[in-house]
Amino acid sequence: MQFLHQIQLNRQSVINALRHEIQPDRLIPSLTAALITGTIEVTCAISFVALIFSGDLAAYISTGIGLSLFTSMTISLIISLVGSSPITVSGVQNAPAAILGVMAAAIAAQFSASDSTASIVATVVSAIAFTSILTGTCCFLLGHFKLGNLIRFIPYPVVGGFLAGTGWLLVLGSLSFMTDLALSGEIILRLSQPQILLQWLPGCGFGILLLGLLRRYHYVLLMPSLVVGAIVLFYIALFATHTSTTEAQAAGLLLKAFPSGSLWHPLSVSTLLQADWSLILSQMGQMVVVILITVISILLNATGIELIIEQDLDLNRELRAGGIANLASGLGGGILGFQVLDSTILSHKLGASSRLVGVFIAAGIAMILFAGASMISLFPKPVLGGVMLMLGLDLLWEWVYDGWFKFSRTDYFIVALILFVIATVGFLQGVGVGLAASIALFIINYSQVNITKHILSGATYQSNAVRSLPQTRLLQEEGEQIYILDLQGFLFFGTANTLLNHIQERLHNPNLAAVKCVVLNFKSVHGLDSSAALSFVKLKQIFQPRGIKLVFTHLKSTIHVQLKRGGCLSPNDSVCHVFDDLDRGLEWCENQILSEIPFRRSRSLPL
């Protein structure tokens, strides 16, 4: 009875949640976001598959379109239901598709003219599916073992540069989409050609209008109204100029006609048996690159979504969701996909806050996939391109213009550097350069932190040992021979070298008495690296011929082991000495000073 009662409660909660989702204030934005972002994702999926099925494989583009749309449908449905963000839009991505294109071309080049077409297609499709399954498995395992939070260690300016670079790629992508020109920096040089000007100028104007109005006004239905109005104006212009849809398609103002009928053919056992698996396994290097790009992109996109929606996401859950989605996609022969940053931003700006966005997108793609894509070809390219342009300009405005006022000059330099490298070299190279610059600046800044909390001498700071008045007076007179450094923080090659130089300056100071003992108090030191241990070995080599004693106090067990392994501490060491605390180490140093004075009266009494 209790089990049946629990089922009824769960059923009621599902019904209540469904009723909440179908309320007009939530349903209308969800439908609008699904229509617009779904159309963009279908267009992108078809565009990205051209990266894979190109060259010798161009004749099999219809197969690729089916696989790509199947991926978009599967990825969108699963991530929307399993992911941690309710508004995340997912689909096929360009970076993995580009590498899969290189891999597919390398596989196709290994076949001769006498090989059957079925064998070539089976090998390429199986390679794509195997890569998707492998990538999905790795993503799921990383999320399962909670390794996704490692992305939190990426500096904020690097994420900002990543988003600015995404904006730049969106601007170029929108121009490439509207003009059918190759995606590169050279596209800008060809925009002034008369036949191309008509293709991108209306969309560019629409995108700038969207940017200005959406940054000024924040109404939920503003953008859907503008998009619908732009579509209506587009067809009014076609009607007024007596231009047919066929002529508009030829002029590049409408999407080209898609293949009719069902586009997807599931992965079968016969396809796997026809594939040449030796050629597939020879591409393992490319597959590893795809896995790395996918993992990094999922985490970076999730971090970018966090900044946009101002909510924390469960990065491990996002990895698991991406892993499950790609496993399902790979089992159907699909291409790789994951969370899409720009479409998610668009969905957020449209006021959508429901998981139904992904469900509606998946349902729409399913209709296209199994019933043909003739209707979507009627969507105006200037409107789609204008929306993409607006998203890119919005990111550039936020991180390049607004960033000038909210970042320090050092952080802004990192953002600008990443953007420049992404625009001139590549996406992952830009993120890599940004990380390297952040690490270098961190090392430089941390090296400038004063690792010495206190600098003392035996003349002003003495142990708690009970001594006679003459001994106390002698220690005050000769105490400069004891040099005490109270250290703090983490010792690495930068700070340890600074400490070494500081001690050498004291040794060569002619205005002070010669040093007999150097005391290093490690009470506030958290740890050290191998470079720091090597610096203490160098210090020991400097002290040995001069008869100077190096005293370590408050050494943690881990630091003690590191110094011993590094060769600084050894049994029966004549230079280095270790004591439990500063007071005992200082007492030993005082005894060394007193033992060299012939008229000392008596030994010090123990504490």
Side-chain angles (χ1 to χ4, degrees):
M1 293 296 294
Q2 185 177 1
F3 177 71
L4 294 175
H5 180 66
Q6 185 65 36
I7 291 178
Q8 290 177 350
L9 290 177
N10 292 337
R11 179 183 177 185
Q12 187 62 38
S13 63
V14 171
I15 293 174
N16 292 336
L18 184 59
R19 287 176 178 174
H20 178 66
E21 294 295 342
I22 62 176
Q23 295 298 317
D25 60 336
R26 293 177 63 87
L27 184 62
I28 293 176
S30 297
L31 283 171
T32 305
L35 175 64
I36 296 175
T37 59
T39 304
I40 293 174
E41 290 309 309
V42 168
T43 305
C44 291
I46 296 171
S47 301
F48 295 154
V49 81
L51 296 173
I52 302 174
F53 289 85
S54 60
D56 296 336
L57 298 173
Y60 317 119
I61 187 67
S62 59
T63 301
I65 291 175
L67 297 178
S68 185
L69 291 178
F70 172 76
T71 298
S72 293
M73 178 189 69
T74 306
I75 297 286
S76 180
L77 179 63
I78 293 178
I79 293 182
S80 66
L81 297 177
V82 180
S84 59
S85 172
I87 64 168
T88 299
V89 178
S90 308
V92 180
Q93 295 282 358
N94 57 349
I99 300 176
L100 288 175
V102 174
M103 186 171 69
I107 291 175
Q110 299 296 319
F111 286 93
S112 62
S114 59
D115 291 318
S116 65
T117 300
S119 178
I120 298 174
V121 175
T123 304
V124 171
V125 171
S126 299
I128 293 172
F130 181 69
T131 305
S132 299
I133 293 173
L134 194 62
T135 304
T137 303
C138 292
C139 289
F140 179 82
L141 291 177
L142 288 173
H144 177 73
F145 291 107
K146 302 186 183 305
L147 299 177
N149 288 325
L150 294 176
I151 196 68
R152 302 290 186 190
F153 293 97
I154 294 182
Y156 184 67
V158 175
V159 178
F162 160 74
L163 292 174
T166 301
W168 170 255
L169 293 180
L170 282 172
V171 170
L172 284 183
S174 65
L175 295 174
S176 175
F177 169 74
M178 289 185 288
T179 60
D180 293 327
L181 297 176
L183 182 59
S184 66
E186 298 178 357
I187 188 177
I188 299 176
L189 302 177
R190 302 182 57 185
L191 295 179
S192 59
Q193 298 178 4
Q195 66 273 22
I196 296 178
L197 196 65
L198 182 62
Q199 295 177 344
W200 69 268
L201 195 57
C204 184
F206 178 61
I208 295 174
L209 176 65
L210 279 177
L211 178 67
L213 292 177
L214 292 177
R215 291 189 71 87
R216 183 177 179 86
Y217 305 103
H218 303 283
Y219 302 119
V220 173
L221 297 179
L222 176 60
M223 185 170 179
S225 301
L226 291 173
V227 171
V228 173
I231 295 174
V232 172
L233 287 176
F234 176 83
Y235 278 100
I236 289 176
L238 290 186
F239 179 79
T241 57
H242 305 286
T243 304
S244 65
T245 56
T246 304
E247 292 173 335
Q249 285 178 340
L253 298 177
L254 288 174
L255 299 174
K256 294 181 180 179
F258 290 15
S260 58
S262 178
L263 298 174
W264 175 63
H265 303 284
L267 188 66
S268 61
V269 177
S270 62
T271 301
L272 298 175
L273 294 176
Q274 284 182 318
D276 188 338
W277 284 94
S278 63
L279 293 180
I280 295 174
L281 296 177
S282 67
Q283 299 297 316
M284 284 299 298
Q286 300 286 0
M287 295 179 190
V288 171
V289 175
V290 170
I291 293 172
L292 292 176
I293 288 178
T294 301
V295 171
I296 293 173
S297 298
I298 288 176
L299 295 177
L300 285 176
N301 284 356
T303 305
I305 293 171
E306 285 181 330
L307 296 177
I308 298 300
I309 67 176
E310 298 179 351
Q311 294 179 3
D312 289 335
L313 300 183
D314 186 343
L315 299 185
N316 294 307
R317 184 175 173 182
E318 292 298 314
L319 277 174
R320 293 195 298 271
I324 295 171
N326 280 294
L327 277 170
S329 174
L331 291 174
I335 303 168
L336 279 163
F338 43 85
Q339 295 84 340
V340 181
L341 178 60
D342 52 330
S343 292
T344 302
I345 295 173
L346 175 57
S347 179
H348 176 69
K349 288 184 177 295
L350 289 169
S353 58
S354 170
R355 296 184 185 274
L356 289 179
V357 175
V359 176
F360 288 152
I361 292 175
I365 296 176
M367 293 175 60
I368 296 172
L369 188 64
F370 298 108
S374 57
M375 291 299 297
I376 200 171
S377 62
L378 299 177
F379 205 102
K381 289 178 65 176
V383 176
L384 273 178
V387 172
M388 295 172 63
L389 182 73
M390 179 273 296
L391 291 173
L393 292 177
D394 187 56
L395 288 174
L396 288 172
W397 184 280
E398 180 177 356
W399 295 103
V400 178
Y401 178 75
D402 292 342
W404 176 261
F405 302 101
K406 68 179 180 180
F407 284 130
S408 67
R409 292 297 168 260
T410 302
D411 290 344
Y412 187 82
F413 166 76
I414 294 176
V415 174
L417 178 64
I418 294 175
L419 175 59
F420 175 77
V421 175
I422 289 176
T424 56
V425 182
F427 195 83
L428 287 180
Q429 292 88 334
V431 176
V433 168
L435 283 173
S438 298
I439 293 171
L441 290 173
F442 171 79
I443 292 173
I444 293 172
N445 292 332
Y446 196 85
S447 298
Q448 295 174 351
V449 174
N450 189 4
I451 195 175
T452 306
K453 184 164 59 173
H454 299 112
I455 300 177
L456 306 168
S457 72
T460 57
Y461 187 84
Q462 298 173 2
S463 69
N464 293 320
V466 178
R467 303 191 186 279
S468 64
L469 184 59
Q471 288 177 333
T472 303
R473 186 180 299 113
L474 285 172
L475 288 175
Q476 291 174 350
E477 294 173 356
E478 305 292 337
E480 290 293 341
Q481 299 179 51
I482 303 175
Y483 188 51
I484 308 168
L485 295 172
D486 192 12
L487 306 180
Q488 63 181 350
F490 184 84
L491 302 181
F492 68 107
F493 60 89
T495 53
N497 187 65
T498 302
L499 176 64
L500 180 62
N501 294 333
H502 190 74
I503 294 175
Q504 286 182 318
E505 289 178 4
R506 170 62 184 86
L507 297 181
H508 295 91
N509 192 335
N511 299 321
L512 298 174
V515 175
K516 296 296 182 182
C517 295
V518 174
V519 182
L520 301 179
N521 186 24
F522 278 69
K523 185 177 182 179
S524 300
V525 174
H526 309 307
L528 54 82
D529 65 358
S530 57
S531 300
L534 180 61
S535 296
F536 290 120
V537 173
K538 293 180 180 179
L539 195 61
K540 179 180 177 180
Q541 294 172 349
I542 295 173
F543 285 2
Q544 191 163 16
R546 302 186 181 191
I548 302 174
K549 306 300 181 183
L550 181 59
V551 177
F552 296 94
T553 64
H554 276 294
L555 280 182
K556 294 180 174 63
S557 58
T558 54
I559 298 178
H560 191 281
V561 171
Q562 284 181 278
L563 291 175
K564 184 179 292 185
R565 289 178 178 175
C568 181
L569 300 179
S570 59
N572 302 320
D573 201 320
S574 61
V575 178
C576 297
H577 302 272
V578 180
F579 295 91
D580 292 337
D581 54 49
L582 179 60
D583 189 68
R584 288 183 173 84
L586 188 56
E587 181 184 355
W588 183 86
C589 294
E590 292 171 349
N591 290 337
Q592 301 302 307
I593 299 297
L594 292 174
S595 66
E596 296 180 1
I597 301 177
F599 50 86
R600 68 179 178 85
R601 297 186 177 181
S602 63
R603 288 186 172 274
S604 60
L605 299 176
L607 182 62

